[in-house]
Amino acid sequence: MGKFLPFHKGHQLLLEQAAAQVQDLYVLVYSNPDPATMDSETRAGWIRQIYTAAGAEPGTPPRIGETVLHVVALPVGQLPVPPNDAADYTQREFVRRWLRQQPLQPDVVFASEQYGPGFAAHIGAAYVAVDPPRTRVPISGTRIREDLYGHAEFLHPVVQAHFHSAQFIRKIVLMGAESTGKSTLSKALASAYSTVWVHEYGRTLHEEKNGATDFDDLLYIAHRHRELEDEAVPYARHFLFVDTNAATTAQFSYFYYARCAPELLALAAECRQRYFHTFLCAPDIPYEDDGWRDPEALRDFHHGMVAMQLDMLQIPYTLLTGTVEERLEQVYAVLGQPHHAASATAADPRKWG
């Protein structure tokens, strides 16, 4: 029993040592609080996937050798799961009552934590310790949570994949008028958080076509930009920073053509759920005319239009002002201070698009 938060190779050692000595092994997975990004059912699913034979028929139970694994998630909200910092007696009694309701009477408890002997006695089972000093697998869930990407060698590929998946990586979008520092800030944030960022694809296509983009290009731009976001997710760490989105593309459609394709409008509306947080860059930095942008006189107008669009789409946002360094601090206040991983494990803050 345990949080398995996340499930690592030390836990694998525990399960495999236990499975070598029993016919049926129950693995109880629970935590309170239970993080939404890897809840108890997700963690239980990792264990089932790791120990289910490739190509097995649906419903085939996971096994270690001949031992059947019964992997059970005990979800907060459906069961009176005690808080993680509850007294030992409260934790033991919760599991004892759950076992009695099944009904189950374990013969032996396997653990590597100090709670093991007392818990085993509480439920009337023998106790077997598995590598309590953690010399065989020198890692803990606490250390991994402090730096999820810095201890990949202690995680099974199934678990590693979760931390580079769309359900775990949080997309952060930066919006604003032209020449408000979105690209510069996206790159700086990707570097600070050791992750990657997605370039504004509309700008890329506009330059490739020498400024001759047309109405039909806009829907393609929105789709291609989203594809680039999805392609970047497996390379991201915690966050994926995105320079503009489909809402901006829809706004440009109205500005230049006084109309917008219904499909593009739908993509713009999806921005309400697609991004974890939206930052709006203020036009309070010097304007840079690179030969592709609209006149500076339109910058304040576009800024107001972006703010209005966000309000109309009911997308909460944080306004960023000042220098790059000041804006970084404003982002840190929302997302949390970046964890500076060692250079050997830091991601390349490359751009997509």
Side-chain angles (χ1 to χ4, degrees):
M1 53 169 278
K3 297 190 292 291
F4 302 102
L5 188 58
F7 185 72
H8 55 69
K9 291 186 178 180
H11 296 134
Q12 288 187 248
L13 174 68
L14 173 66
L15 269 58
E16 291 161 13
Q17 290 284 302
Q21 303 177 56
V22 298
Q23 292 180 321
D24 287 270
L25 180 62
Y26 283 81
V27 184
L28 306 186
V29 182
Y30 73 91
S31 176
N32 185 6
D34 201 21
T37 53
M38 46 175 166
D39 62 14
S40 58
E41 184 53 48
T42 296
R43 303 193 304 276
W46 295 337
I47 302 172
R48 297 186 194 109
Q49 185 178 349
I50 289 169
Y51 292 111
T52 298
E57 293 292 327
T60 301
R63 293 176 181 270
I64 299 177
E66 297 299 316
T67 300
V68 176
L69 267 61
H70 307 268
V71 186
V72 183
L74 305 180
V76 176
Q78 299 180 30
L79 293 171
V81 178
N84 292 339
D85 58 0
D88 286 348
Y89 176 83
T90 302
Q91 302 283 359
R92 296 167 183 171
E93 187 62 12
F94 164 70
V95 177
R96 187 188 70 83
R97 291 183 179 184
W98 183 87
L99 291 169
R100 188 171 60 184
Q101 289 169 0
Q102 301 316 302
L104 288 170
Q105 178 53 56
D107 299 300
V108 59
V109 168
F110 296 86
S112 59
E113 303 280 359
Q114 293 182 351
Y115 71 74
F119 169 68
H122 191 85
I123 65 171
Y127 173 65
V128 173
V130 178
D131 193 27
R134 300 186 183 179
T135 54
R136 296 180 62 181
V137 184
I139 195 62
S140 68
T142 300
R143 282 180 57 201
I144 294 177
R145 289 194 300 275
E146 290 172 350
D147 183 7
L148 288 170
Y149 301 95
H151 301 290
E153 70 272 21
F154 292 108
L155 298 176
H156 189 281
V158 166
V159 182
Q160 289 186 39
H162 176 81
F163 297 125
H164 292 282
S165 64
Q167 64 263 39
F168 186 82
I169 299 298
R170 293 172 170 177
K171 297 185 181 72
I172 309 298
V173 63
L174 281 76
M175 300 181 66
E178 293 181 315
S179 191
T180 53
K182 300 184 298 298
S183 297
T184 299
L185 189 58
S186 295
K187 182 177 180 179
L189 286 166
S191 178
Y193 284 95
S194 298
T195 187
V196 295
W197 65 287
V198 179
H199 186 64
E200 179 186 2
Y201 180 70
R203 171 64 180 262
T204 301
L205 185 65
H206 190 66
E207 293 180 3
E208 289 176 355
K209 299 187 72 171
N210 199 29
T213 51
D214 56 28
F215 176 80
D216 291 333
D217 285 324
L218 295 173
L219 181 58
Y220 171 72
I221 287 170
H223 278 297
R224 182 57 186 145
H225 187 87
R226 286 163 59 99
E227 288 174 357
L228 291 169
E229 291 179 14
D230 294 339
E231 291 170 10
V233 164
Y235 302 91
R237 299 156 62 104
H238 295 295
F239 300 108
L240 173 64
F241 293 97
V242 180
D243 180 354
T244 72
N245 60 17
T248 297
T249 308
Q251 185 184 121
F252 276 118
S253 181
Y254 280 112
F255 181 76
Y256 290 114
Y257 302 102
R259 59 194 175 103
C260 186
E263 188 176 349
L264 179 52
L265 278 178
L267 294 177
E270 288 180 14
C271 292
R272 287 192 291 254
Q273 290 81 37
R274 185 170 175 83
Y275 303 95
F276 176 73
H277 196 79
T278 298
F279 291 97
L280 175 59
C281 295
D284 61 349
I285 59 176
Y287 177 81
E288 295 184 9
D289 187 356
D290 60 3
W292 297 100
R293 291 173 173 152
D294 286 329
E296 181 179 3
L298 288 174
R299 188 168 65 153
D300 286 346
F301 170 77
H302 280 303
H303 173 73
M305 293 298 293
V306 175
M308 182 180 75
Q309 183 188 41
L310 290 171
D311 288 340
M312 293 187 69
L313 289 173
Q314 297 182 319
I315 298 176
Y317 65 89
T318 299
L319 180 66
L320 301 178
T321 61
T323 65
V324 172
E325 291 72 22
E326 290 170 336
R327 293 178 184 211
L328 286 171
E329 291 300 326
Q330 292 161 33
V331 173
Y332 300 160
V334 176
L335 303 182
Q337 289 289 330
H339 176 86
H340 294 288
S343 58
T345 61
D348 174 15
R350 71 192 78 175
K351 69 177 181 179
W352 260 252

